[in-house]
Amino acid sequence: MKQQANLIRAGQVIEHDGRRWTVLKQQIITPGKGGAFIQVEMRDLKTGNKTNERWRTADTVERLITEDKEYNYSYTDGETLVLMDPETFEQFMIPVDLLGDQAPFLQDNMVLNLNLVEGDPVAVTLPPHVTLEVVEADPVVKGQTASSSYKPAMLSNGVKTMVPPFIEAGERIVVRTDDASYVERAKS
């Protein structure tokens, strides 16, 4: 399906130079002189190589239609994630690389949304929030105000994040899976 280049968004799959690419980031740039253009960072689905491409906003690109399907995460086998179809109970294997920085947030039986193009996995979406335990947190520094200051903390999955001063080691908190930022204390 043809679409204008200025409608490209992260997560879409496009065909360019005879290869399939998944869009990682896009930015529309309007220089002071001349027409606007879109800068797109994308990853080749076969090789995993990244590249940047520029198009004028009026150019057209070929967007591939993706099918969304939910799977349950079972386990990781080396560099492969083993997922289970909740309807047929069939196993489906995908490379860990599709998750990128979100891999540490995987939890047993987590429901993942898998984007497929002609049966091939192109992207994986985790739930927006997960609940994790704080295993290590710096002590509170006297004089800090609770409204503006955050302190570093280590989560049970090995990811570092910034938390408010009242959070201590052993507490469970909710974090965003896309950037590991603190959302709130977990409700028990």
Side-chain angles (χ1 to χ4, degrees):
M1 166 175 89
K2 294 270 188 203
Q3 78 173 19
Q4 282 191 306
N6 64 339
L7 299 175
I8 294 174
R9 298 289 176 260
Q12 290 181 345
V13 180
I14 61 173
E15 192 165 322
H16 177 63
D17 290 339
R19 296 196 304 227
R20 294 178 178 167
W21 304 84
T22 184
V23 177
L24 304 173
K25 295 179 192 169
Q26 91 286 346
Q27 179 181 12
I28 294 180
I29 300 169
T30 311
K33 190 175 180 184
F37 60 90
I38 184 165
Q39 174 89 25
V40 178
E41 182 179 327
M42 50 193 189
R43 179 186 298 130
D44 188 325
L45 293 177
K46 286 226 186 299
T47 64
N49 295 338
K50 287 184 184 178
T51 188
N52 286 315
E53 194 69 41
R54 284 185 178 184
W55 286 284
R56 286 178 286 137
T57 54
D59 290 345
T60 58
V61 293
E62 183 69 26
R63 179 178 172 198
L64 300 174
I65 303 301
T66 58
E67 172 193 351
D68 290 351
K69 188 149 176 45
E70 287 190 347
Y71 286 90
N72 291 339
Y73 168 69
S74 294
Y75 60 93
T76 302
D77 184 17
E79 294 297 312
T80 305
L81 298 179
V82 179
L83 309 177
M84 184 183 69
D85 187 328
E87 297 165 8
T88 64
F89 302 108
E90 290 180 27
Q91 289 189 344
F92 192 76
M93 298 186 189
I94 61 167
V96 173
D97 299 345
L98 276 181
L99 277 177
D101 296 339
Q102 293 183 323
F105 294 104
L106 277 176
Q107 296 176 344
D108 290 342
N109 296 321
M110 179 181 274
V111 176
L112 306 177
N113 191 17
L114 196 61
N115 296 357
L116 304 163
V117 172
E118 297 174 5
D120 294 331
V122 294
V124 180
T125 309
L126 271 65
H129 302 105
V130 292
T131 302
L132 295 166
E133 185 177 337
V134 176
V135 293
E136 186 180 308
D138 288 357
V140 177
V141 177
K142 269 195 164 184
Q144 280 186 330
T145 57
S147 63
S148 65
S149 60
Y150 277 70
K151 63 182 184 179
M154 178 71 76
L155 301 174
S156 57
N157 64 352
V159 174
K160 290 183 180 175
T161 189
M162 299 299 282
V163 296
F166 56 83
I167 299 293
E168 297 176 5
E171 288 191 61
R172 294 177 56 76
I173 62 170
V174 177
V175 295
R176 287 188 182 87
T177 54
D178 57 350
D179 62 0
S181 61
Y182 171 84
V183 176
E184 63 183 359
R185 272 185 174 152
K187 295 168 178 63
S188 22

